[in-house]
């Protein structure tokens, strides 16, 4: 099942895997019940780092495109994983896109480096794991009965994220509020097309305890999003509009903050730069994820101590996680004091 490539001192292995979602997941533009991923391993002097690429269909990457990219990678020119900046720059310039494929290498490399130092990566970065904000749990668009059921199942979470952007928006919020008082955040996934409607909704949501608004309108509607941000009683967050570090200057003044995801931004190294740059500009930082195994989620969580909001429920939404890593207890992310990104394969654990 594993493809294996020996490249000088490094060996890269990868294989496709399909994540099964616990519930069919619906957002403003589509529904799905599985997510394709590629699992990676990067070996150097007998030490193995784990990585992952997750490819929800709307991002334009597939298992085939990731495999194609990984087949192109040749690390034989690098004699040490400590040439980290140079190595990841080489990987990045191979293709313009393929951000998830790049993240699969970046995560495996960080895991490897942490294991070589025998320290968790959050410690190497100098972050305290107790600073992680509680993670939200996502409620997809669904019927009233299912929404109520999902919210009741999520009663231990201190924050819920609700997907909006269809005609059912007010029903979704009213239904959640009939069974829960926790703070909410709303992700519209570009679903609203009119700035006046968006502003009206921002006020309506604010009155119902929604604390921020993610990607209210299409990313192309820069002026309208800026107009809304100026007037909205709650912060606006760019998700679809924000992929990588170089996007941030153009978003300053258009949104109140950004949503960083490893699969959009090529991995942990750039994600950290983005969090620090956005914070410097006075923007809010949210750390999000795709549906992913505990590998990519735990990798993202290394950065969570320096963000304003964490949305790291991706591994909780699947039924066939292959790794044991960050755990969520009463809505709080718990990072282990384990080297690298701190995950172990489940088969070995059991
Ligand atoms: Mg989003």
């Amino acid at each position: 099942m594993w493809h294996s490539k020996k490249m000088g001192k490094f060996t890269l292995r990868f294989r496709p895997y399909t994540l099964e979602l616990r519930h069919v997941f619906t957002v403003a533009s589509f529904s799905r019940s599985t997510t394709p991923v590629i699992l990676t391993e990067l070996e150097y002097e007998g030490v193995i780092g784990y990585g992952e690429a997750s490819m929800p269909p709307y991002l334009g990457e597939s298992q085939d495109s990731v495999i194609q990219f990984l087949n192109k990678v040749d690390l034989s020119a690098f004699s040490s994983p400590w040439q980290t900046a140079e190595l990841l720059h080489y990987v990045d310039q191979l293709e313009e896109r393929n951000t998830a494929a790049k993240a699969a290498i970046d995560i495996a490399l960080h895991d490897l480096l942490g294991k070589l130092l025998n320290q968790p990566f959050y410690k190497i970065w100098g972050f305290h794991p107790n600073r992680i904000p509680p993670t939200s749990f996502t409620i997809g668009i669904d019927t009233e009965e299912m929404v109520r059921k999902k919210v009741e199942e999520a009663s231990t979470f201190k924050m819920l994220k609700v997907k909006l952007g269809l005609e059912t928006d007010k029903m979704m919020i009213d239904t959640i509020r009939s069974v829960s008082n926790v703070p909410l955040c709303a992700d519209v996934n570009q679903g609203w097309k009119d700035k006046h409607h968006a502003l009206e909704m921002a006020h309506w949501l604010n009155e119902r305890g929604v604390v921020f608004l993610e990607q209210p309108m299409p990313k192309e509607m820069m002026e309208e999003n800026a107009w809304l941000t100026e007037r909205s009683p709650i912060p606006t967050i760019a998700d679809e509009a924000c992929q990588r570090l170089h996007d941030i200057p153009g978003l300053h003044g258009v949104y109140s903050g950004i949503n960083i995801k490893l699969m959009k931004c090529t991995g942990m190294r750039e994600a950290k730069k983005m969090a620090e740059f956005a914070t410097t500009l006075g923007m809010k930082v949210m750390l999000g994820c795709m549906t992913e195994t505990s590998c990519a989620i735990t990798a993202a969580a290394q950065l969570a101590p320096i963000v304003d909001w964490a949305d790291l429920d991706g591994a909780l939404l699947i039924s066939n996680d292959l790794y044991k890593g960050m755990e969520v207890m009463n809505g709080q992310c718990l990072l282990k004091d384990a080297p690298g990104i701190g995950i172990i394969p489940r088969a070995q654990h059991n």
Side-chain angles (χ1 to χ4, degrees):
M1 264 300 257
W2 287 94
H3 304 243
S4 185
K5 281 177 73 177
K6 180 126 180 61
M7 306 166 287
K9 291 191 153 189
F10 293 93
T11 302
L12 176 66
R13 283 183 288 272
F14 49 93
R15 72 172 174 112
Y17 186 65
T18 303
L19 305 181
E20 308 286 342
L21 307 193
R22 290 181 192 277
H23 294 287
V24 174
F25 192 64
T26 301
V27 304
S29 52
F30 61 89
S31 291
R32 66 177 206 273
S33 57
T34 60
T35 302
V37 304
I38 295 282
L39 306 168
T40 56
E41 291 185 4
L42 187 62
E43 185 172 342
Y44 173 84
E45 293 186 343
V47 182
I48 298 173
Y50 298 113
E52 176 181 12
S54 169
M55 287 81 66
Y58 60 91
L59 284 183
E61 278 184 277
S62 64
Q63 286 176 332
D64 283 346
S65 72
V66 172
I67 289 172
Q68 227 172 60
F69 182 88
L70 295 177
N71 274 325
K72 226 174 279 178
V73 172
D74 181 2
L75 303 180
S76 33
F78 300 95
S79 56
S80 155
W82 300 106
Q83 293 168 278
T84 314
E86 209 183 318
L87 192 157
L88 290 176
H89 174 73
Y90 156 77
V91 170
D92 192 17
Q93 57 78 47
L94 280 174
E95 289 288 342
E96 196 191 330
R97 292 170 184 274
N98 294 97
T99 54
K102 292 168 184 176
I105 293 180
D106 168 285
I107 294 168
L109 181 60
H110 280 83
D111 191 34
L112 175 65
L113 294 171
K115 283 171 175 166
L116 291 170
L117 286 177
N118 201 27
Q119 291 295 337
F121 226 90
Y122 61 82
K123 277 195 179 172
I124 295 169
W125 275 341
F127 301 153
H128 199 301
N130 289 358
R131 298 284 184 274
I132 302 181
T135 180
S136 51
F137 183 81
T138 301
I139 309 292
I141 299 172
D142 219 316
T143 61
E144 219 175 302
E145 194 192 337
M146 276 307 289
V147 169
R148 203 170 296 128
K149 189 169 162 259
K150 286 181 188 173
V151 174
E152 277 162 1
E153 280 174 20
S155 63
T156 57
F157 286 85
K158 296 185 176 67
M159 186 161 186
L160 295 175
K161 169 164 163 171
V162 53
K163 292 288 191 177
L164 300 181
L166 299 179
E167 305 73 49
T168 46
D169 287 356
K170 289 191 175 176
M171 175 282 283
M172 288 288 297
I173 299 292
D174 287 338
T175 305
I176 293 172
R177 279 292 171 249
S178 73
V179 282
S180 173
N181 287 321
V182 295
L184 302 177
C185 57
D187 187 358
V188 189
N189 288 113
Q190 318 186 79
W192 298 336
K193 314 295 179 196
D194 177 83
K195 65 179 182 183
H196 297 285
H197 172 68
L199 182 59
E200 205 177 291
M201 284 301 293
H203 282 286
W204 189 86
L205 292 168
N206 180 38
E207 285 158 18
R208 282 153 187 83
V210 173
V211 294
F212 68 88
L213 198 54
E214 204 182 319
Q215 202 62 56
M217 288 180 280
K219 59 181 179 183
E220 295 79 17
M221 295 174 68
M222 296 287 280
E223 268 178 48
E224 290 86 348
N225 277 304
W227 181 91
L228 175 67
T229 298
E230 210 182 305
R231 292 163 179 81
S232 173
I234 51 177
T236 61
I237 302 295
D239 183 7
E240 285 85 343
C242 180
Q243 310 286 319
R244 299 197 56 176
L245 180 63
H246 61 236
D247 292 323
I248 296 177
L251 300 170
H252 188 219
V254 180
Y255 298 89
S256 326
I258 58 167
N259 185 352
I260 300 171
K261 296 175 182 169
L262 299 189
M263 296 303 142
K264 293 191 298 185
C265 77
T266 75
M268 294 167 67
R269 187 174 175 87
E270 183 152 327
K272 176 169 176 281
K273 290 184 189 177
M274 290 175 76
E276 291 171 342
F277 184 39
T279 303
T280 302
L281 292 175
M283 295 178 81
K284 294 282 187 191
V285 176
M286 172 185 184
L287 183 63
C289 61
M290 309 297 175
T291 37
E292 296 161 354
T293 71
S294 285
C295 176
I297 294 293
T298 309
Q302 308 296 311
L303 186 64
I306 61 162
V307 305
D308 297 291
W309 296 298
D311 180 28
L312 297 174
D313 62 351
L316 305 172
L317 305 175
I318 63 173
S319 59
N320 59 344
D321 195 352
L322 285 171
Y323 302 97
K324 216 168 156 43
M326 179 195 88
E327 293 192 35
V328 179
M329 193 86 76
N330 295 322
Q332 197 62 50
C333 299
L334 303 175
L335 280 173
K336 291 186 178 57
D337 192 356
I341 59 173
I343 61 166
I344 47 170
R346 277 186 186 263
Q348 281 178 29
H349 178 81
N350 292 338

